[in-house]
Amino acid sequence: YERKNFSSQRSFLQVVNDRLKIKEEKKEIFEKKEESNNDILPKKLELFDISKIEPAQEEAISHYGEPMMVIAGPGTGKTYTLVNRIAYLINNGIANPKNILAVTFTNKAAEEMISRINALVKDFNNFSNITITTFHGFAYSLLKEFKNLLIITPEEKDELIRSIGIKYFKKIDSFMVKRIDDALNKLKRNLISYEDNRFKDLLKNFDQEFINSFIPFYPEYQDRLRELGLFDFDDLIIEVIKKMEDDQRWLKDLRTRYTFISVDEFQDINLAQYKMVNLLAPTGENLFVIGDPLQSIYGFRGGSPEFFERFKRDYPGAKVIKFTRSYRSNETILRVSEDIISKGKDGIKPGLISGIKGERLIKIIRFPNEKEEANFIAKTIEEYVGGINLFSIDKGNFFYENENQSWDFSDFAIFYRIHQLGDAVENALFRYGIPYQRLASSSDDIKPFFSVIFGWLRLLIVEPSQIYFFDFLKKKTKMLGGKMPNDPLSFINFLKNKKVSEQIEALIDNLDLKIPDKKIKELLNISSPFEMDTASFLIFMANRDETDKYEARAKKVTLSTLHSAKGLEFSMVFIIGLENGLIPYLPDKGRFFDIEEERRLLYVGITRAKRVVILTHVKERFYFGKKHLFLPSPFLKDIKDYRIKHIQYSTKKKKQESQLKFF
C-alpha cells in the first residue's frame, strides 16, 4: 500500500478487488475459449495503455486474425512491439497462453522476450504456459516427444568430416574441413538431400573438383551420423519437417496446439525454418512476423530478404505495415546509413526519421596502421569517461547539444568485420586499463574445455556414440592437461543420477580441467535451471552464439563483430577496418561473396549508434601474418560528401597540439 503511493487504504483495496474481478473474468474467457475449440474472441479487457505509441505500432500490437508482416527498421521498436502484442493478446483474453508460440534465433533473444513479456502479463500462471524459444529449441522439444536425440559437437563433427573426407578429398586440412562444413550447412538449410537433383546447383559457388569429391562424401557422412545416433544441428528442423509431412495427425494436433505464432527477426529465416512455420500455419491465421529485409546479414546461414516477398505470395491476404520512426539514432546517423544502403542493387531507401538532433558531419579517419587506430580509440574512450571531451576542441563543436553529458564505458562499442581485427583494439584497451567485454575472439582458449565437458555429458545419454568418439574424447581430455578416470564407465554411471550442474562440477574436479573460476561459475549458472535434463542443456548450449556472451549491465566497452552487433545499441560506435577487402570482405578463393549482404552488414553496424559513429581505415595492416596495403572501402564513397569530415591521422610529435587539431 505504501510502496504504491495510493491516496488511501480504501483506494488500495478497491484496486485489489478490481484485480480479483479481472482474474475471474479472464478465467471465464479461457474456459469459454476451450469449449469453442480456440475460436478468436473479441477484445474483453485492456490492461495497459497503448495510446501513447506510434499509430503503426498500435496497429501491430492490437492486430489478430489475418496474417501480418511488419517491416521494422533499426531502432523502430521491433522487440517492444512483439512482446507487447503477445501481452495484449493474453491480457485481453484474445489468446490462451498455451496456444502462443514465439520463435527467434538466439538464446539471448528468447530470454529477453521471456523477461519482457513476464513483466507485462498480469497473471504469472498464464505467462508460464507460453512457448518462447529458438527455432532449434522448438524443433528439439517436438522431437523429444518421440525419441531421445543429441547433437554432434563441433569438434566431433570436424573429426568425422576428416575421417570420411580423407577418402574423397586430396587434402583434408582445416580449411577444407571448413569448406565441407559450409557445404553441408548450405544444403541442409535449403532442404537439399544428396538424392535431390538440385544438389549441384546449390553448390555452384564451389569449384568442380570440390563438388565431385563432395558427392560421395555427403551420403556416407549422413549414414555415419545415423549409426552413431547423432544429428547435425540443422538436422533437427529437417527431422521435424519430415515428421510433420509423414504424420498428418500429429501435424493437425500441432496446428490446434499453436494457434498464435510469432516470428522474430524474420530477415534471418532460412528455407527449412520457413517451411516449418508454413506447415504449422498454412492459412496464416494469427501468424505474425516482424523484421527488416535491409538487415538480412546471415546469408551463410541461409537467411535471405527474399522471404519477405515469399511471405506475401504464400499469404496473399496478409496485412503489411512499415515502421518509419526510429527511437535510437540521430538524423545524421540515419542519413549516412541511408546513403550506404540505398546504393544497393535494389536502391531501396529505409525512409526512417527520428527527429533527434546531432552534429551534421560524421568523421572518417585514416590511420597509418592498426596500432595507431587502436590507440586512438582507447585514448578517445579514456578521455570521454574521464570527463574531457576531445571533440569539443573541434571548432565544429561535435556534441553541441550534449557537451556536459557524462559517459560510461558501456556507452562505447567497437565493431569489425572479422575477429582478428579486434585483437589490436583489445590490446590497446588492456594497456589503457579500460574494462571491456569481447563477444568472441579469434582464439577463444576456453572453448576446448567446454567441448570436453559437453562430450562427456553426451556419453550419459547416447550409447552408440561412445564407441566412435570415446577415444577421441580421451585424447582431447589429455591434450588439455586433464586426466582420465581409472574406470570411465563407472564414472559415467556415477554421473547419471546427478543434476546437470553437479555433473559439470564432478567432471571438472575428476578430470582435473584447469578452467578459470569465473567461467566455471558462468557454466554452473547456465546449467542450474535444467535440473536433471542433461539433453535439453546440451541443446541449449549448442544454440549459443557470440551474442549470448553480451552483458548489457556491465560497465565495459564492447568489442564485437558486425554480425554479432545486431540487436545492440550504444551511444558511440567505432567501426574499424573500413578497407577494401575487409568491408566488403573478400574471402579466400572458393568461398561465396555477396556484395549486397556486405552493404547491409555495414548498414546494421552504423545503425547501432545513438549519438556518434566514427568510421576508420588504415593504410597498412598486419593481417593473417603479413603486412598488407589497403585502399579505403568503396562503401565510403556512397556517403554524401557534405555529411563527412575526412581526417588524415598523423603520428608527428613536434607539438602536443599536432594530433588534437584533427578533432
Side-chain angles (χ1 to χ4, degrees):
Y1 159 64
E2 292 177 352
R3 187 168 66 248
K4 294 294 183 181
N5 294 318
F6 287 97
S7 58
S8 67
Q9 185 175 1
R10 182 178 179 181
S11 64
F12 171 71
L13 294 174
Q14 183 63 46
V15 169
V16 173
N17 187 51
D18 291 343
R19 287 291 175 88
L20 291 174
K21 286 182 179 179
I22 288 171
K23 187 172 182 179
E24 289 302 313
E25 288 182 50
K26 289 167 71 178
K27 182 178 179 182
E28 290 179 14
I29 289 171
F30 293 138
E31 288 173 349
K32 290 178 182 178
K33 189 167 174 127
E34 293 282 345
E35 295 171 0
S36 61
N37 195 27
N38 296 313
D39 289 338
I40 302 293
L41 296 177
K43 289 193 292 182
K44 295 282 185 180
L45 305 165
E46 185 171 309
L47 300 181
F48 62 95
D49 183 15
I50 61 171
S51 62
K52 296 180 181 180
I53 61 177
E54 292 291 305
Q57 281 186 315
E58 181 175 352
E59 181 180 5
I61 289 171
S62 59
H63 178 84
Y64 59 92
E66 63 187 359
M68 172 172 276
M69 180 169 69
V70 179
I71 311 297
T76 57
K78 174 183 62 63
T79 305
Y80 173 90
T81 300
L82 183 60
V83 299
N84 274 279
R85 178 178 178 272
I86 293 173
Y88 179 87
L89 294 173
I90 296 171
N91 290 341
N92 287 278
I94 298 166
N96 190 324
K98 73 178 184 179
N99 298 131
I100 294 176
L101 168 66
V103 286
T104 187
F105 292 86
T106 66
N107 293 332
K108 196 166 192 70
E111 289 167 358
E112 182 183 0
M113 286 174 61
I114 291 169
S115 174
R116 293 174 69 167
I117 294 173
N118 185 26
L120 293 169
V121 173
K122 304 304 177 182
D123 188 338
F124 177 78
N125 291 327
N126 287 334
F127 168 75
S128 62
N129 293 322
I130 308 172
T131 302
I132 303 173
T133 183
T134 63
F135 273 98
H136 291 91
F138 178 63
Y140 172 74
S141 71
L142 296 180
L143 290 173
K144 75 176 183 179
E145 296 177 11
F146 304 97
K147 54 186 173 182
N148 199 6
L149 49 86
L150 282 179
I151 303 299
I152 189 170
T153 69
E155 287 74 14
E156 290 170 344
K157 186 177 181 180
D158 288 351
E159 178 71 10
L160 188 58
I161 289 174
R162 288 177 189 276
S163 65
I164 300 172
I166 197 170
K167 295 190 289 185
Y168 302 109
F169 295 88
K170 289 183 178 179
K171 190 177 181 181
I172 195 71
D173 57 10
S174 58
F175 172 74
M176 183 57 70
V177 169
K178 179 66 170 63
R179 289 193 71 200
I180 295 171
D181 189 35
D182 288 345
L184 287 169
N185 295 338
K186 186 169 187 176
L187 291 170
K188 293 186 178 188
R189 289 162 185 171
N190 284 279
L191 299 174
I192 304 294
S193 71
Y194 53 82
E195 300 167 337
D196 198 306
N197 293 329
R198 297 170 295 166
F199 184 106
K200 293 182 181 179
D201 291 338
L202 204 64
L203 296 181
K204 61 184 178 182
N205 296 307
F206 293 83
D207 58 83
Q208 192 58 47
E209 183 181 351
F210 176 88
I211 294 174
N212 292 339
S213 299
F214 189 83
I215 289 173
F217 167 87
Y218 192 9
E220 183 170 341
Y221 172 81
Q222 286 300 111
D223 289 343
R224 197 73 182 98
L225 278 179
R226 291 193 199 98
E227 292 172 12
L228 295 168
L230 298 175
F231 291 83
D232 257 353
F233 203 49
D234 291 311
D235 284 334
L236 288 175
I237 294 176
I238 293 173
E239 290 296 311
V240 166
I241 291 172
K242 287 179 181 177
K243 178 69 176 174
M244 286 178 172
E245 292 177 332
D246 294 341
D247 190 341
Q248 290 297 309
R249 188 173 180 179
W250 182 62
L251 178 58
K252 184 178 180 180
D253 175 67
L254 290 177
R255 289 172 178 171
T256 303
R257 192 188 313 176
Y258 300 111
T259 53
F260 289 80
I261 300 175
S262 299
V263 181
D264 188 23
E265 302 287 7
F266 189 66
Q267 73 279 348
D268 298 336
I269 203 166
N270 62 38
L271 181 61
Q273 293 160 343
Y274 183 89
K275 180 71 176 292
M276 184 170 69
V277 172
N278 185 250
L279 285 169
L280 283 172
T283 67
E285 185 176 4
N286 294 311
L287 176 59
F288 181 89
V289 302
I290 188 167
D292 180 12
L294 297 180
Q295 296 187 74
S296 178
I297 59 174
Y298 293 112
F300 59 91
R301 296 180 186 170
S304 171
E306 294 177 2
F307 286 107
F308 285 83
E309 293 303 316
R310 178 161 180 174
F311 185 91
K312 294 177 186 178
R313 294 194 302 269
D314 291 343
Y315 303 102
K319 177 77 173 177
V320 180
I321 61 176
K322 183 178 180 179
F323 294 169
T324 58
R325 172 77 180 274
S326 173
Y327 300 91
R328 177 189 298 154
S329 305
N330 63 39
E331 286 290 337
T332 300
I333 292 170
L334 290 180
R335 299 289 73 78
V336 168
S337 65
E338 185 172 85
D339 287 346
I340 290 173
I341 200 66
S342 63
K343 290 298 176 66
K345 68 176 183 179
D346 296 326
I348 298 174
K349 289 189 176 183
L352 298 178
I353 59 171
S354 69
I356 303 172
K357 292 183 178 180
E359 172 63 21
R360 67 183 184 87
L361 302 178
I362 69 158
K363 288 182 167 54
I364 298 178
I365 310 176
R366 183 166 176 79
F367 294 90
N369 53 58
E370 73 273 15
K371 184 177 180 180
E372 296 296 338
E373 180 184 53
N375 286 337
F376 165 82
I377 291 170
K379 186 173 182 180
T380 300
I381 293 171
E382 180 189 58
E383 297 287 356
Y384 266 91
V385 176
I388 302 174
N389 191 336
L390 287 180
F391 286 100
S392 67
I393 298 171
D394 191 334
K395 299 295 184 182
N397 199 5
F398 197 68
F399 295 130
Y400 65 92
E401 80 276 30
N402 287 313
E403 279 187 359
N404 299 318
Q405 180 174 335
S406 61
W407 290 75
D408 187 88
F409 289 120
S410 60
D411 290 322
F412 301 89
I414 301 101
F415 301 147
Y416 34 83
R417 178 61 178 84
I418 60 173
H419 289 301
Q420 184 184 337
L421 268 62
D423 294 346
V425 180
E426 181 177 8
N427 291 336
L429 295 178
F430 180 79
R431 290 197 307 273
Y432 275 76
I434 295 173
Y436 64 88
Q437 57 177 326
R438 189 168 180 181
L439 301 194
S441 65
S442 53
S443 56
D444 193 339
D445 56 3
I446 206 69
K447 286 182 181 178
F449 290 96
F450 285 175
S451 178
V452 166
I453 291 173
F454 302 150
W456 277 93
L457 290 177
R458 221 266 317 288
L459 291 176
L460 306 179
I461 303 165
V462 180
E463 297 296 331
S465 65
Q466 295 183 18
I467 300 170
Y468 183 78
F469 285 116
F470 191 61
D471 288 339
F472 173 70
L473 191 58
K474 286 195 294 185
K475 182 174 71 173
K476 290 289 291 185
T477 301
K478 292 179 179 179
M479 282 175 59
L480 295 171
K483 62 181 183 181
M484 290 293 294
N486 293 329
D487 187 346
L489 292 180
S490 296
F491 178 58
I492 290 170
N493 290 328
F494 164 74
L495 296 174
K496 283 186 176 181
N497 295 320
K498 294 181 177 292
K499 293 180 179 180
V500 181
S501 57
E502 294 171 343
Q503 291 170 347
I504 292 171
E505 286 185 298
L507 282 167
I508 292 172
D509 290 341
N510 284 273
L511 301 180
D512 198 24
L513 297 174
K514 310 301 182 185
I515 303 177
D517 290 341
K518 182 180 178 181
K519 293 294 181 180
I520 295 175
K521 185 178 179 180
E522 176 187 342
L523 195 56
L524 293 177
N525 287 339
I526 294 171
S527 63
S528 181
F530 290 89
E531 295 288 335
M532 308 286 288
D533 193 352
T534 305
S536 293
F537 169 70
L538 290 173
I539 291 293
F540 179 85
M541 293 304 294
N543 203 45
R544 278 174 66 83
D545 66 5
E546 297 173 14
T547 59
D548 290 319
K549 297 177 68 175
Y550 177 65
E551 301 174 43
R553 296 183 180 181
K555 301 298 184 182
K556 300 176 182 179
V557 175
T558 297
L559 289 84
S560 169
T561 63
L562 285 164
H563 280 101
S564 296
K566 192 157 68 66
L568 306 180
E569 63 178 27
F570 303 89
S571 292
M572 182 183 291
V573 167
F574 299 87
I575 302 180
I576 68 173
L578 272 153
E579 295 125 32
N580 192 26
L582 294 178
I583 304 178
Y585 182 58
L586 301 176
D588 298 324
K589 182 181 178 182
R591 295 182 64 187
F592 181 62
F593 166 66
D594 184 348
I595 185 68
E596 295 303 316
E597 184 161 303
E598 293 294 309
R599 184 182 296 279
R600 294 193 294 269
L601 189 57
L602 181 56
Y603 174 75
V604 166
I606 291 174
T607 53
R608 300 309 93 196
K610 294 190 285 187
R611 294 173 57 195
V612 185
V613 61
I614 298 175
L615 309 178
T616 71
H617 55 100
V618 303
K619 178 181 178 182
E620 182 181 78
R621 186 180 297 277
F622 197 74
Y623 179 61
F624 284 115
K626 296 181 181 179
K627 284 188 177 181
H628 296 268
L629 295 176
F630 284 99
L631 294 173
S633 167
F635 291 152
L636 295 177
K637 296 179 181 178
D638 295 333
I639 305 173
K640 290 181 171 60
D641 197 55
Y642 58 80
R643 304 195 208 279
I644 303 171
K645 181 167 186 180
H646 289 283
I647 297 171
Q648 183 72 38
Y649 192 84
S650 172
T651 56
K652 294 179 181 179
K653 299 181 180 180
K654 290 182 179 179
K655 295 183 179 180
Q656 181 73 21
E657 295 80 10
S658 61
Q659 291 183 18
L660 298 181
K661 69 180 180 180
F662 292 117
F663 41 120

